[in-house]
Amino acid sequence: PEPPRHSDPTDPGPGAPGGLFAWLRGRCLGRGAAVDPARDTFGAMTGLYGAIQPADSVSLSTRTHGAVFNLEYSPDGSVLTVACEQTEVLLFDPISSKHIKTLSEAHEDCVNNIRFLDNRLFATCSDDTTIALWDLRKLNTKVCTLHGHTSWVKNIEYDTNTRLLVTSGFDGNVIIWDTNRCTEDGCPHKKFFHTRFLMRMRLTPDCSKMLISTSSGYLLILHDLDLNKSLEVGSYPILRARRTTSSSDITSSGSSGPRAVGSPCHQNDSGLLSEKHLSRSSQREGGSPRNSLEVLTPEVPGERDRGNCITSLQLHPKGWATLLRCSSNTDDQEWTCVYEFQEGAPVRPVSPRCSLRLTHCIEEANVGRGYIKELCFSPDGRMISSPHGFGIRLLGFDAHCSELVDCLPREASPLREIRSLYSHNDVVLTTKFSPTHCQIASGCLSGRVSLYQPKF
């Protein structure tokens, strides 16, 4: 639509040549120019998502693969991959809903996560402690198998700038793999970070930060990330000015013991951040700011004395916020929470302030205990798809599915339910938006995968 006319003839307004984009570039909410000029296109896409009906879902099912733990589209949206409990990886054409290929023995144990490196190369990780690289042009054999973890591997990330693969597992390790020098025997790798009760690890879209969630309720942030830097225990500067917990809190966090959650997941007894680690880190605070560590205990609704486990971790596609799925240690409450990234100096210098602020939250259905529910942002960041019982819920920051920067509340507000979609007969564990089409996929505990899309 044409921008509104201004009554002042001397004011060219946003409709003048260059005026609209200059106005958008200058529009900021504490984070610089962040507003995409194509928001009308995103608004149309949001309207399509809001019109999806459960009857329009297309069911994709096989008989042997077990529960669906993860869904991943290729960057061009042409392939949908499915990580399954019974060692299989399924590949589908999401447009025609046709089955392409089953990798029946992709791993020797549960397949937990899939990550595309580009439109043809993807990686899978498993409870068999390995990571496998695959090429869509030759699926009969793996490109290579990566060995380095000593326990279940749960998460894969990829830095497109350095072409470094980053994985994390229940051995508490984050490992960096150099895919530039990959051979049939594997890739050179190094241990980058270690922490106790590690659950999920994510990189921000610009790869400037690494976020790590733990089952003990902590969220770790590595700022000014440098994956090429060789790091040892104790070489992470601690951000005292923004840390929300004390060293004694961290080193004693294991006193409550590990909590068994996951898909299904178990924990190890390795140290979270040892006293030696913290003391050496504190001494190095005046050093390089690269890979500086911040330890947070995110604010979660509900009864705070119960403690919380951060089971799922996602990042806003524009890097504005992080999305967490949290459950109480007694497993009687689950929450989906959105936290805005806070940058710059603390508001009050005498009071430490963390890098995250709770902006939106909603209570989830407390079903499928012991299993992680993987949720996600839409490609434009306006909507959230969240597993909810035997279906999924589409959630927005407000009733109009506005962008986060347009509706930041002064205090935590509830996420708005835009639509609920139910087409499964078992607990939904994972959901994913297509990066290129108006389509959503969901997978459940009994192994059924459903696609949702508008019908014209």
Side-chain angles (χ1 to χ4, degrees):
E2 182 181 355
R5 298 184 181 275
H6 290 242
S7 57
D8 185 0
T10 63
D11 181 9
L20 175 61
F21 292 99
W23 175 74
L24 287 172
R25 283 195 299 268
R27 189 171 186 262
C28 63
L29 287 173
R31 57 173 60 78
V35 180
D36 196 316
R39 55 178 57 207
D40 283 342
T41 302
F42 293 144
M45 186 65 76
T46 299
L48 290 176
Y49 282 127
I52 289 179
Q53 298 293 331
D56 295 333
S57 65
V58 180
S59 298
L60 310 174
S61 180
T62 63
R63 299 179 180 177
T64 61
H65 58 262
V68 174
F69 287 161
N70 184 241
L71 299 164
E72 185 72 15
Y73 285 88
S74 61
D76 61 4
S78 64
V79 176
L80 172 64
T81 56
V82 183
C84 303
E85 178 183 17
Q86 300 298 331
T87 75
E88 292 184 353
V89 173
L90 308 179
L91 292 92
F92 292 94
D93 178 351
I95 305 303
S96 65
S97 306
K98 292 182 179 179
H99 177 243
I100 299 173
K101 179 78 172 177
T102 296
L103 307 179
S104 58
E105 295 181 357
H107 287 274
E108 297 179 359
D109 208 333
C110 304
V111 185
N112 297 315
N113 191 237
I114 301 174
R115 175 69 61 183
F116 274 86
L117 282 60
D118 53 37
N119 282 320
R120 62 174 179 83
L121 193 66
F122 66 95
T124 60
C125 64
S126 168
D127 284 356
D128 66 5
T129 75
T130 69
I131 301 98
L133 293 182
W134 304 85
D135 193 322
L136 287 175
R137 299 171 299 181
K138 188 180 178 182
L139 290 171
N140 293 330
T141 59
K142 302 174 184 177
V143 174
C144 65
T145 301
L146 310 181
H147 299 270
H149 285 279
T150 58
S151 187
W152 301 352
V153 189
K154 294 293 183 180
N155 203 192
I156 307 173
E157 290 287 278
Y158 184 64
D159 184 349
T160 55
N161 299 319
T162 61
R163 295 181 62 190
L164 293 174
L165 197 69
V166 189
T167 61
S168 65
F170 282 175
D171 55 4
N173 292 323
V174 177
I175 296 180
I176 307 297
W177 309 84
D178 187 358
T179 57
N180 299 297
R181 296 184 289 165
C182 187
T183 67
E184 293 182 357
D185 298 326
C187 298
H189 65 278
K190 64 180 180 181
K191 186 186 296 185
F192 182 74
F193 190 77
H194 179 86
T195 186
R196 193 180 188 184
F197 303 152
L198 188 152
M199 290 293 292
R200 291 291 185 266
M201 172 273 305
R202 300 288 179 191
L203 300 180
T204 54
D206 61 359
C207 297
S208 65
K209 298 180 180 66
M210 177 185 290
L211 279 74
I212 299 172
S213 65
T214 71
S215 61
S216 53
Y218 290 101
L219 186 67
L220 314 180
I221 304 179
L222 284 168
H223 293 268
D224 302 307
L225 189 65
D226 184 0
L227 295 177
N228 288 306
K229 186 177 180 181
S230 180
L231 296 172
E232 298 176 355
V233 172
S235 63
Y236 303 90
I238 299 293
L239 297 181
R240 286 184 179 273
R242 294 190 293 179
R243 192 180 56 190
T244 61
T245 56
S246 66
S247 299
S248 59
D249 291 335
I250 302 168
T251 55
S252 64
S253 64
S255 59
S256 59
R259 200 179 84 89
V261 297
S263 34
C265 72
H266 303 283
Q267 309 296 338
N268 55 45
D269 56 0
S270 56
L272 172 65
L273 292 169
S274 65
E275 294 180 5
K276 180 180 178 182
H277 181 148
L278 286 166
S279 62
R280 291 180 60 186
S281 300
S282 300
Q283 296 171 3
R284 296 172 62 93
E285 282 189 66
S288 171
R290 303 304 298 269
N291 297 319
S292 52
L293 176 66
E294 183 176 14
V295 183
L296 309 175
T297 50
E299 177 188 355
V300 177
E303 298 183 21
R304 302 183 182 183
D305 57 348
R306 298 184 183 184
N308 291 281
C309 170
I310 303 173
T311 58
S312 182
L313 169 66
Q314 299 290 340
L315 274 299
H316 190 281
K318 298 179 183 178
W320 294 344
T322 182
L323 177 65
L324 303 183
R325 182 74 169 250
C326 305
S327 61
S328 63
N329 284 334
T330 54
D331 264 341
D332 59 350
Q333 283 185 318
E334 284 192 32
W335 294 85
T336 289
C337 303
V338 178
Y339 299 85
E340 176 207 9
F341 275 109
Q342 301 283 299
E343 300 293 349
V347 177
R348 293 181 297 171
V350 297
S351 176
R353 188 198 71 179
C354 68
S355 290
L356 301 178
R357 179 174 71 92
L358 178 64
T359 62
H360 298 83
C361 59
I362 192 169
E363 188 167 5
E364 298 284 6
N366 186 35
V367 295
R369 297 185 183 185
Y371 285 87
I372 293 174
K373 289 86 174 181
E374 297 285 2
L375 63 176
C376 64
F377 279 107
S378 62
D380 58 14
R382 288 170 172 258
M383 299 181 70
I384 296 166
S385 181
S386 171
H388 188 261
F390 288 11
I392 62 174
R393 289 195 298 187
L394 301 184
L395 306 171
F397 302 117
D398 62 13
H400 306 290
C401 296
S402 302
E403 291 202 8
L404 179 61
V405 294
D406 293 333
C407 57
L408 281 174
R410 293 184 178 273
E411 56 185 26
S413 300
L415 287 166
R416 300 296 183 92
E417 182 176 337
I418 307 301
R419 185 168 294 276
S420 295
L421 306 169
Y422 296 98
S423 64
H424 293 270
N425 56 7
D426 210 335
V427 177
V428 173
L429 300 181
T430 182
T431 179
K432 198 76 173 182
F433 283 92
S434 167
T436 56
H437 299 81
C438 185
Q439 186 181 81
I440 307 170
S442 62
C444 71
L445 187 58
S446 62
R448 180 176 179 177
V449 178
S450 292
L451 297 178
Y452 308 88
Q453 51 197 15
K455 185 177 181 181
F456 299 101

